[in-house]
Amino acid sequence: MSSKLEVNKNDMHSIVKSFPQLLRHSSLDVRLREQLAEMRDDRPTGICFIGMGGSSIAGGYVATSLADTSRQPIAVVRDESLPEYIGQGYVSFVVSYSGNTQETLDAYEILAERGCHTVTMASGGLLSKKKADCFIRLPPGFPPRGALPAMFGALLQATQTILGVPTTDLNHMAEEINLAADSWGGNLSKPAALAEWMRGRIPVFMGSRHLYPVAYRAKCQMNENAKTEAFASPFPEATHNELEGFTEKRAGSFAIVLLKSRAEGATNAKRLDIVAEILSSAGHDCTIVTASAPTQMGEMLELTYHLDLTSVELADINGVDPLSVPKISALKKRLK
Ligand code: PA5
């Protein structure tokens, strides 16, 4: 990772606004690419991403982005225990921004014992001291969830290198996001307006395929930054259960955001429109949100950038500090 970052790390607005800059900054250097290429030569049988909370999101995004083209299975694990099939032959990316998350450190030990290739990613802490096959250092001083673009860019290029496919041009992706952000206010209302719409209600995000990880990320950002309950549901699965739960009784309690891709299949596009109608006629506030970026990865990143900004705006509305996570910190301290 190269060049100096211009961001005020004491201000979540500034951190989130640095999204395109952080993404650009995360391009892998030649030495790391060479180390990763050696793992590719060992012909890995599978890839897995391990991490918790803000450090798990990038792996989920990479797995989804490469799922349609990778011949190797790609697993995402948010747990300290690992499925038995993850073992020798797998390349495991072990990610913890602080480098000190218990679940992640425990998982690392299991992977090392099982003889996996390990790539660790951290800004410091205990994980950075492990004898992994490769270590990717993250820029220090961010709240973990604020470093998502840096984690995503590096994990994406690292995984592509291991799979032996061309690496994504992160400068180009950053450009795509900047351009898309210029059009907010049309299809996609500005973050401040979306946050205002959510005021006093529980945000619920739904998305299918590559937009479900985005829905999950948005939920987590609302939880941690804006200190509100929030939920994410996979689409169309939610239309076979959750849809029924939105009764007239709780009308007005939720702000439901349906994420719609421009590449949505005809049936799913129709399904999303019908669900919006059903929810609205039960008295629920529901909006369909569409990105303007031209690629699927661009859609994921644009919506993430937008909803990250929305979560910080909602934190302001709720009068809370988006940087601190006192309950999560207290739990970690007590478990130490
Ligand atoms: O964003 C956060 O602060 C959390 O979701 C953390 O990412 C989570 O608690 C795991 O910590 P770390 O990212 O340091 O492994």
Side-chain angles (χ1 to χ4, degrees):
M1 299 200 185
S2 55
S3 73
K4 212 168 161 291
L5 281 168
E6 279 169 34
V7 47
N8 175 2
K9 294 174 191 158
N10 296 317
D11 174 22
M12 193 60 111
H13 281 275
S14 171
I15 291 170
V16 175
K17 282 196 182 124
S18 72
F19 195 112
Q21 190 195 158
L22 263 180
L23 186 63
R24 247 190 230 114
H25 181 84
S26 62
S27 226
L28 294 180
D29 61 30
V30 178
R31 186 187 53 85
L32 279 171
R33 285 177 198 255
E34 283 171 1
Q35 287 178 355
L36 292 158
E38 278 175 30
M39 288 182 215
R40 176 197 60 213
D41 295 343
D42 284 350
R43 295 173 176 271
T45 51
I47 308 273
C48 79
F49 297 101
I50 320 282
M52 305 301 294
S55 292
S56 75
I57 302 294
Y61 277 31
V62 174
T64 305
S65 302
L66 302 179
D68 289 344
T69 49
S70 170
R71 285 170 184 270
Q72 281 100 324
I74 307 182
V76 180
V77 180
R78 295 177 164 102
D79 204 331
E80 59 213 324
S81 71
L82 300 167
E84 198 51 43
Y85 64 80
I86 297 173
Q88 230 175 12
Y90 263 69
V91 173
S92 302
F93 289 92
V94 187
V95 186
S96 166
Y97 183 80
S98 63
N100 291 326
T101 295
Q102 172 260 313
E103 294 94 325
T104 314
L105 290 167
D106 286 357
Y108 173 86
E109 297 305 334
I110 299 172
L111 292 164
E113 217 166 84
R114 289 188 190 173
C116 287
H117 276 309
T118 48
V119 181
T120 48
M121 180 184 263
S123 64
L126 295 173
L127 190 61
S128 68
K129 298 193 173 70
K130 301 285 178 192
K131 291 204 177 339
D133 297 302
C134 179
F135 171 59
I136 303 175
R137 187 174 291 281
L138 292 165
F142 286 85
R145 59 198 171 281
L148 168 67
M151 298 190 215
F152 172 73
L155 276 187
L156 177 67
Q157 288 194 337
T159 310
Q160 289 169 326
T161 305
I162 284 168
L163 293 176
V165 298
T167 53
T168 300
D169 178 349
L170 299 174
N171 283 322
H172 177 80
M173 287 316 301
E175 232 14 76
E176 208 174 283
I177 302 167
N178 275 329
L179 271 177
D182 287 343
S183 70
W184 291 346
N187 221 349
L188 188 51
S189 58
K190 290 195 188 297
L194 193 64
E196 191 50 47
W197 176 75
M198 290 173 177
R199 183 191 280 269
R201 290 178 296 167
I202 298 174
V204 178
F205 302 90
M206 295 190 196
S208 47
R209 301 184 61 244
H210 63 293
L211 296 186
Y212 175 64
V214 177
Y216 182 69
R217 159 71 171 186
K219 165 219 125 58
C220 297
Q221 289 291 78
M222 298 299 154
N223 296 148
E224 291 182 64
N225 292 345
K227 317 282 186 282
T228 175
E229 305 88 341
F231 299 94
S233 316
F235 207 86
E237 170 62 13
T239 65
H240 296 272
N241 33 65
E242 197 168 312
L243 180 60
E244 210 55 49
F246 287 103
T247 59
E248 283 79 356
K249 214 171 47 192
R250 292 205 207 285
S253 311
F254 302 100
I256 305 166
V257 179
L258 302 177
L259 304 178
K260 187 177 189 179
S261 168
R262 278 146 46 111
E264 212 74 67
T267 311
N268 212 40
K270 189 171 171 190
R271 191 183 279 123
L272 277 158
D273 293 340
I274 298 172
V275 165
E277 273 174 40
I278 294 175
L279 290 171
S280 301
S281 56
H284 288 284
D285 299 295
C286 179
T287 184
I288 293 184
V289 155
T290 311
S292 58
T295 61
Q296 290 201 9
M297 194 179 287
E299 283 187 332
M300 290 177 80
L301 297 177
E302 179 193 347
L303 288 173
T304 304
Y305 185 27
H306 186 289
L307 294 168
D308 280 8
L309 288 168
T310 304
S311 73
V312 187
E313 296 288 346
L314 193 60
D316 286 348
I317 290 174
N318 290 347
V320 295
D321 174 11
L323 277 174
S324 73
V325 281
K327 295 192 179 73
I328 297 172
S329 304
L331 172 66
K332 286 184 181 178
K333 211 165 159 192
R334 286 177 66 178
L335 282 172
K336 239 179 196 170

